[in-house]
Amino acid sequence: MLKPGISDVQGQVVERSLPALGWENVSGVRVGKHLEFEIEGSSVESIREQVEQMCERFLANTVIEGFRVDIDA
Amino acid sequence: MPKIAVVVFPGSNCEQDVVHALRAEGADADYAWHGDDDLGGADGVVLPGGFAHGDYLRTGAIARFSPVMHAVRSLADEGKPVLGICNGFQILAEAHLVPGALIKNEGLRFLCVWTEVTVEDTGTIATRACEKGQRLRIPINHYEGNYRANVEPRVAFRYVDNPNGAWQNIAGVSNDAGNVVGLMPHPERASHESLGSADGRTVLTSLIESCRLLQRA
């Protein structure tokens, strides 16, 4: 997701489109990316550490984006 | 005659224009493949525009890990000239060779238009031959040129009329040393009167002259 404070023009366009469809109570729309993958490891902790490194180095650009890691063990 | 490598990534599409324009200014310009480990002893390097690796994940995000980027980083660390144009700027930003990042244009439009930029800093490898405050008419051609940074960058070029929402009207920045420059406008597309402007020549001749001076040093 783009960090708070970085204008999300995609989110703004989606938000402006919603009232036309009758949903007039939606605000703060942000558009981000969702990546899913399988990963092998010995513990949830070590996998989380690896995935966070993957996000820091490659999957996210931390100049403009934040990230959240969810693991289904 | 300085030797300048123009890197071809899968999806680059401005490399021929850049090589043509650099050769027209007298440089010994030639292509380098993104999978190569070295730049053939080049005095400087250009990362041209296009859509390297399909712009997948983010613009430049995959290209920054191409094998040739080790050689580009080495050249940059040696103080040699490195110029990124458009997608090349996006790659340099992803590689943290220049500060900041490029996000989608304000208004969500792909912009292929003429712009005017002012030269803010004549101490970089891309502005050496320019005058401070000089206005250059050079076209842009991008969807993600909206510059953001979490630090105060060294600004090389600013738009006169901001076309894409870029922070502080920034069209191009350099690293602290001034030897790595990224800009969104395409100087190679303004390199002859027949193209509508020859203002980009001064950016290209700045690069060539910088290569020449560092070649002698």
Side-chain angles (χ1 to χ4, degrees):
Chain A
M1 293 292 289
L2 286 169
K3 286 179 175 172
I6 304 264
S7 67
D8 176 3
V9 286
Q10 273 192 105
Q12 290 162 11
V13 170
V14 171
E15 185 170 324
R16 283 203 300 271
S17 303
L18 287 167
L21 300 171
W23 293 295
E24 296 183 353
N25 57 344
V26 185
S27 61
V29 176
R30 311 282 288 172
V31 176
K33 288 192 190 80
H34 180 93
L35 289 89
E36 283 186 351
F37 45 86
E38 291 168 12
I39 186 164
E40 282 183 32
S42 52
S43 71
V44 171
E45 290 71 33
S46 66
I47 285 172
R48 179 176 296 279
E49 192 182 337
Q50 179 187 335
V51 175
E52 284 179 354
Q53 285 175 4
M54 286 161 58
C55 290
E56 292 278 353
R57 275 199 67 202
F58 179 46
L59 300 178
N61 180 340
T62 55
V63 175
I64 47 171
E65 296 171 322
F67 60 85
R68 193 185 80 206
V69 178
D70 293 323
I71 300 173
D72 292 329
Chain B
M1 191 188 289
K3 189 171 173 181
I4 301 177
V6 179
V7 177
V8 183
F9 295 91
S12 295
N13 63 15
C14 298
E15 71 277 12
Q16 293 190 30
D17 308 47
V18 172
V19 165
H20 175 87
L22 287 172
R23 285 179 181 166
E25 302 296 344
D28 175 13
D30 215 338
Y31 305 101
W33 180 238
H34 84 110
D36 291 344
D37 292 327
D38 66 77
L39 294 164
D43 303 300
V45 62
V46 178
L47 307 186
F51 302 85
H53 296 280
D55 278 355
Y56 294 144
L57 190 60
R58 291 178 307 280
T59 57
I62 297 172
R64 71 165 281 213
F65 292 111
S66 282
V68 78
M69 290 304 290
H70 292 292
V72 171
R73 190 176 293 277
S74 298
L75 212 65
D77 289 346
E78 288 168 30
K80 299 279 179 61
V82 177
L83 178 65
I85 301 167
C86 196
N87 191 220
F89 181 12
Q90 295 163 339
I91 296 168
L92 290 178
E94 279 285 338
H96 305 299
L97 285 168
V98 292
L102 286 310
I103 64 171
K104 289 181 177 61
N105 296 340
E106 204 72 59
L108 281 184
R109 284 216 170 89
F110 188 100
L111 295 169
C112 183
V113 294
W114 285 93
T115 61
E116 265 199 316
V117 296
T118 54
V119 175
E120 299 290 318
D121 176 354
T122 56
T124 81
I125 55 97
T127 53
R128 174 190 294 277
C130 306
E131 286 169 30
K132 190 167 168 62
Q134 188 179 352
R135 283 195 182 197
L136 305 175
R137 188 165 175 271
I138 304 180
I140 55 167
N141 186 64
H142 63 244
Y143 186 48
E144 279 149 319
N146 184 347
Y147 183 80
R148 301 285 136 157
N150 49 8
V151 293
E152 280 290 330
R154 192 170 160 181
V155 180
F157 303 99
R158 284 186 215 274
Y159 299 109
V160 174
D161 289 311
N162 191 337
N164 57 19
W167 178 63
Q168 292 189 4
N169 304 323
I170 288 172
V173 299
S174 74
N175 64 347
D176 287 340
N179 70 306
V180 182
V181 174
L183 79 165
M184 289 314 296
H186 286 264
E188 78 280 7
R189 295 191 188 184
S191 57
H192 194 277
E193 278 78 6
S194 65
L195 297 172
S197 168
D199 289 357
R201 288 184 61 195
T202 182
V203 176
L204 301 173
T205 55
S206 292
L207 171 69
I208 295 167
E209 182 59 17
S210 302
C211 291
R212 205 190 315 268
L213 288 167
L214 288 161
Q215 193 182 25
R216 282 201 207 110

